[in-house]
Amino acid sequence: MKKLINKPETFVRESLEGMALAHPDILKVHFDPTFVYRADAPVKGKVAIISGGGSGHEPLHGGFVGKGMLDAACPGEVFTSPTPDQMLEAAKTVNSGEGVLFIVKNYSGDVMNFEMAADLARAEGIRVLNIIIDDDVAVKDSLYTQGRRGTGTTVLAEKIVGAAAERGYDLRRLADLTRKVNMNGRSMGMALTSCTVPAKGTPTFDLGEDEIEIGIGIHGEPGRERMKWRPADEITELLALSIIEDPPYTRTLREFDEEKGEWVEVELTDEPFKAGDRVIAMVNGMGGTPIAELYVVYRKLAQICEDKGLTIVRNLVGNYITSLEMQGVMITLLRVDDEMVELWDDPVLTPGLRWKA
Amino acid sequence: MKKLINKPETFVRESLEGMALAHPDILKVHFDPTFVYRADAPVKGKVAIISGGGSGHEPLHGGFVGKGMLDAACPGEVFTSPTPDQMLEAAKTVNSGEGVLFIVKNYSGDVMNFEMAADLARAEGIRVLNIIIDDDVAVKDSLYTQGRRGTGTTVLAEKIVGAAAERGYDLRRLADLTRKVNMNGRSMGMALTSCTVPAKGTPTFDLGEDEIEIGIGIHGEPGRERMKWRPADEITELLALSIIEDPPYTRTLREFDEEKGEWVEVELTDEPFKAGDRVIAMVNGMGGTPIAELYVVYRKLAQICEDKGLTIVRNLVGNYITSLEMQGVMITLLRVDDEMVELWDDPVLTPGLRWKA
């Protein structure tokens, strides 16, 4: 294993220290327990948005802390859920009194720990709602998941909901908006190569010299199918059509019902994309893919969307939710309305996304 | 070879088509001859800034076309110089009448072709000056170079000089500023892995499972030394001290003397960094390195700069000048004065760098 790290045990901490040194105007890092938070937190009168999950997906989530996006992010060790004490301390630090929204990717450990943290925070008088993102159409149930995995839509949700929080939306409205983003976003990824978790030191999975994995998870979890390499246009078509033509998907997600004072199961069904839809399209590198290749994928994706009657109104091409040094790509399409596009265009100042600031 | 491409022959073209589709508000792409140019070119009353070079280093240069940076970029095939007809057509397209500055990385083919293009443009009545960037302290003379290679400082020069052009600096003053940036910038890189040029299909060089190359070039040219892998802090120290402690370097670069109406050789000597200097620090990924690892490098670089009395006033951590999917890192330090910092902070709107816009 050759990486630009010192030791596996200190990798996450040293990376966060470097991020804090590089962006002191944007964020700070607290250790023991570990969380990244806005330099100007708590922001008076604003609901705080917190996310988190295992490290190794940078810039997600720590790189999205800053004005217009997250108030705090809780990083676990590489591909390992953060713990409730991190989330609780983060919530206490960034809560301005308006409450906290936890945006949670659908992995069993993350869901459980954010739920526990929400209960702990409520016991300390902080209002908290949790919304789960489960947008990966590749597989139902996976190595670390019941139901679909949470992937690319998380990035778009954090931007849109972060902007809404900045505009003064209250906690309930932000939770509704996050759920709406999840119900309109779908993703699927693929890998050309594996990644290597530092603590393990060997590749997570083996792919032959001419093999690719379609439907890969962001931790290298198995996807839909292993196949021979094929041209980028065919790969793009496989991913895009899986997303666009995915039939309605019904899931049951846990949310906290404030009236009842307890966790309830909410049944949610999404709607397939249809001609006339406007979308934000993300072509996301898995960490080790050159951006020039991502543009080759975007080129084909734009053609497919046009053929299907989908209008791409905004796009992101780059590395936003990654799997260490994995080579590969993930496509996310998010159906948007005027409100979501306006929020997308609002200023953002984070290490990973920055405009109008 | 597994890449997200269709065929080696169409890679550069399709990638540029994708970039144009993704950023129609920022740039356009012209084919035959090929160049990327600002969507709003020519910009009245402004000197046009043009750069270019082989593809495979994205976002450099095409990804830096846009308001506040380049007016046009001329991409060659992967790791291959663009041709004079590309540069000439680009110059004719973006020249507003105020003249054109060519920013040229010091590779023999680029230098020769940009010089020929300048002569052709002058023959058509366009004022052109060429300034060469040769900032890589790793080696003197290399596979494609007489003298030092042009690397990371090019990114910083394009940002700073692009902002100055936006402010209305005239051609001569922009040339002087670019030369000043080059005289104050130094870089050095290293590789953990090779890259694979699509048309060749096999790695450019072989590195053992536990080997790294210090002083690598952005085309995989040999560096100073091949050695066993070592921790990120030691690698960072090797690169940073090579940059900071590099003795004064004297080079002879060709520039066009408008009074004499001919190309002349200009002897230029830079000054080593010293305590009290303010610098912009770039930790640049070579294309396949996760950003989390780049922050580990930035952490150590910040410590070293502090120890040496250098104040990092601005920084960039990410992939800006790459070598396809190579894993590795390049450090650039640029000594800055107030003017350069102000220009750095000016708005920029390009696919690769964006702020305040």
Side-chain angles (χ1 to χ4, degrees):
Chain A
M1 176 183 63
K2 289 189 292 187
K3 288 174 183 284
L4 287 165
I5 65 173
N6 289 305
K7 306 184 282 197
E9 311 87 88
T10 59
F11 170 46
V12 170
R13 186 184 181 109
E14 290 174 348
S15 180
L16 291 169
E17 286 175 358
M19 192 166 71
L21 286 166
H23 308 290
D25 49 328
I26 298 177
L27 54 81
K28 296 178 185 176
V29 181
H30 183 279
F31 292 103
D32 310 314
T34 301
F35 58 94
V36 182
Y37 62 107
R38 267 177 73 156
D40 59 348
V43 182
K44 208 179 158 188
K46 192 183 90 68
V47 174
I49 313 292
I50 299 182
S51 191
S55 292
H57 307 300
E58 291 71 21
L60 186 91
H61 296 274
F64 296 141
V65 170
K67 190 172 160 58
M69 221 162 157
L70 298 179
D71 292 82
C74 304
E77 282 303 307
V78 172
F79 295 176
T80 303
S81 291
T83 50
D85 61 316
Q86 296 175 253
M87 302 152 188
L88 176 62
E89 279 305 307
K92 286 159 74 172
T93 302
V94 301
N95 176 40
S96 71
E98 301 295 324
V100 175
L101 177 71
F102 286 160
I103 299 180
V104 185
K105 299 196 302 302
N106 192 36
Y107 298 98
S108 306
D110 291 1
V111 170
M112 188 179 70
N113 289 347
F114 270 107
E115 204 170 301
M116 204 178 300
D119 288 336
L120 293 169
R122 262 190 297 275
E124 301 205 21
I126 302 174
R127 233 185 115 195
V128 183
L129 292 178
N130 296 27
I131 297 290
I132 294 168
I133 306 291
D134 63 338
D135 63 315
D136 186 344
V137 303
V139 292
K140 184 165 161 18
D141 299 337
S142 177
L143 210 51
Y144 309 108
T145 330
Q146 278 197 306
R148 288 184 169 175
R149 303 175 294 215
T151 55
T153 300
T154 316
V155 175
L156 310 182
E158 292 178 1
K159 169 65 186 85
I160 289 170
V161 176
E166 213 71 53
R167 285 188 180 203
Y169 283 33
D170 67 23
L171 179 58
R172 192 71 67 91
R173 198 169 162 209
L174 289 168
D176 291 343
L177 176 63
T178 312
R179 196 186 307 105
K180 183 168 96 172
V181 171
N182 187 40
M183 282 302 98
N184 286 286
R186 290 174 175 181
S187 302
M188 191 156 129
M190 61 78 59
L192 295 163
T193 64
S194 177
C195 53
T196 296
V197 175
K200 182 160 173 274
T202 54
T204 302
F205 57 97
D206 289 311
L207 270 180
E209 273 302 306
D210 60 347
E211 277 184 327
I212 62 176
E213 175 99 20
I214 299 288
I216 195 81
I218 56 170
H219 312 90
E221 307 97 301
R224 279 191 184 178
E225 198 181 344
R226 188 162 292 198
M227 53 177 69
K228 294 277 177 204
W229 177 89
R230 55 202 63 204
D233 283 0
E234 290 180 35
I235 290 171
T236 305
E237 198 163 357
L238 272 170
L239 298 179
L241 295 185
S242 295
I243 290 168
I244 294 170
E245 297 175 350
D246 189 60
Y249 170 64
T250 300
R251 71 274 266 171
T252 304
L253 298 175
R254 284 168 66 85
E255 295 190 12
F256 189 78
D257 185 316
E258 291 189 301
E259 279 68 47
K260 294 185 181 160
E262 63 183 28
W263 292 90
V264 296
E265 301 207 318
V266 183
E267 193 180 276
L268 298 164
T269 303
D270 61 10
E271 259 181 65
F273 292 96
K274 61 178 191 305
D277 283 347
R278 291 182 303 155
V279 297
I280 296 178
M282 178 168 75
V283 173
N284 173 66
M286 302 302 275
T289 306
I291 192 163
E293 296 182 26
L294 301 181
Y295 281 123
V296 174
V297 173
Y298 185 80
R299 170 183 169 276
K300 182 66 181 175
L301 177 63
Q303 291 169 359
I304 294 169
C305 284
E306 194 177 345
D307 290 346
K308 294 284 178 183
L310 306 182
T311 304
I312 301 178
V313 293
R314 299 289 183 274
N315 68 77
L316 270 185
V317 181
N319 290 290
Y320 299 101
I321 171 170
T322 61
S323 302
L324 297 167
E325 78 286 6
M326 184 188 285
Q327 289 177 32
V329 66
M330 180 196 297
I331 292 175
T332 299
L333 294 180
L334 172 66
R335 181 193 296 111
V336 289
D337 55 20
D338 289 342
E339 176 193 32
M340 286 152 86
V341 176
E342 273 179 38
L343 292 167
W344 180 260
D345 287 343
D346 272 0
V348 60
L349 176 57
T350 72
L353 271 191
R354 179 173 177 182
W355 54 72
K356 296 183 189 165
Chain B
M1 176 182 64
K2 289 188 293 187
K3 289 176 184 282
L4 287 165
I5 66 174
N6 291 305
K7 308 184 280 198
E9 310 87 87
T10 58
F11 170 46
V12 169
R13 186 182 181 111
E14 291 173 348
S15 181
L16 291 169
E17 287 175 358
M19 193 166 71
L21 286 166
H23 308 290
D25 49 327
I26 297 177
L27 55 81
K28 295 179 186 174
V29 180
H30 184 278
F31 291 103
D32 310 312
T34 303
F35 57 93
V36 183
Y37 62 107
R38 266 177 73 157
D40 59 348
V43 182
K44 208 179 157 187
K46 193 184 90 68
V47 174
I49 313 292
I50 299 182
S51 191
S55 292
H57 307 301
E58 290 73 20
L60 188 89
H61 297 271
F64 296 140
V65 170
K67 192 172 156 58
M69 220 160 158
L70 298 180
D71 291 83
C74 304
E77 283 302 308
V78 173
F79 296 176
T80 303
S81 290
T83 50
D85 62 315
Q86 296 175 251
M87 301 152 188
L88 175 63
E89 279 305 307
K92 286 159 75 173
T93 302
V94 301
N95 176 40
S96 71
E98 301 295 324
V100 175
L101 178 70
F102 286 160
I103 299 180
V104 185
K105 300 196 302 302
N106 192 35
Y107 298 97
S108 307
D110 291 1
V111 170
M112 190 178 68
N113 289 347
F114 269 108
E115 204 170 299
M116 204 176 300
D119 288 337
L120 293 169
R122 260 190 298 275
E124 301 206 21
I126 301 174
R127 236 185 113 193
V128 182
L129 292 178
N130 296 27
I131 296 289
I132 295 168
I133 306 291
D134 63 338
D135 64 314
D136 185 344
V137 303
V139 291
K140 183 162 160 19
D141 301 336
S142 177
L143 211 49
Y144 309 108
T145 330
Q146 279 197 305
R148 288 183 169 175
R149 303 175 294 217
T151 54
T153 299
T154 316
V155 176
L156 310 183
E158 291 177 3
K159 169 66 186 86
I160 289 170
V161 175
E166 213 70 54
R167 285 189 181 202
Y169 283 33
D170 66 22
L171 180 57
R172 193 71 67 90
R173 198 170 163 207
L174 289 168
D176 291 344
L177 176 63
T178 312
R179 196 186 306 106
K180 182 168 99 173
V181 170
N182 186 39
M183 283 301 99
N184 286 286
R186 291 175 175 182
S187 302
M188 191 155 130
M190 62 77 59
L192 294 164
T193 64
S194 178
C195 53
T196 296
V197 175
K200 182 160 175 272
T202 54
T204 302
F205 58 97
D206 289 310
L207 270 181
E209 273 301 306
D210 60 347
E211 277 184 327
I212 62 176
E213 175 99 20
I214 298 289
I216 195 81
I218 56 170
H219 312 91
E221 309 97 300
R224 281 192 182 179
E225 197 180 346
R226 190 161 290 199
M227 54 176 69
K228 294 277 177 204
W229 177 88
R230 54 203 61 204
D233 283 1
E234 290 180 36
I235 290 170
T236 305
E237 199 164 355
L238 271 170
L239 298 179
L241 295 185
S242 295
I243 289 169
I244 295 170
E245 296 175 351
D246 189 59
Y249 170 63
T250 300
R251 71 273 266 171
T252 304
L253 298 176
R254 283 167 67 85
E255 294 189 13
F256 189 78
D257 186 317
E258 292 189 301
E259 277 71 45
K260 294 186 182 159
E262 63 183 29
W263 293 91
V264 296
E265 300 207 318
V266 183
E267 192 180 278
L268 298 164
T269 303
D270 62 8
E271 260 180 64
F273 292 96
K274 60 179 192 305
D277 283 346
R278 291 182 303 154
V279 297
I280 295 177
M282 178 168 74
V283 173
N284 173 66
M286 302 302 275
T289 307
I291 193 163
E293 296 182 26
L294 301 181
Y295 281 122
V296 173
V297 172
Y298 185 80
R299 169 184 171 276
K300 182 65 182 176
L301 177 63
Q303 291 169 359
I304 294 169
C305 285
E306 193 177 345
D307 290 347
K308 294 285 178 183
L310 306 181
T311 305
I312 300 178
V313 292
R314 298 291 183 274
N315 68 78
L316 270 185
V317 181
N319 290 290
Y320 298 101
I321 170 171
T322 62
S323 302
L324 297 167
E325 79 286 6
M326 184 188 284
Q327 289 177 33
V329 67
M330 180 196 297
I331 292 175
T332 299
L333 294 179
L334 171 66
R335 182 193 296 112
V336 288
D337 54 20
D338 289 342
E339 177 193 30
M340 287 151 85
V341 176
E342 272 178 38
L343 292 167
W344 180 260
D345 287 344
D346 271 359
V348 60
L349 176 57
T350 72
L353 271 191
R354 181 174 176 179
W355 54 71
K356 296 184 188 165

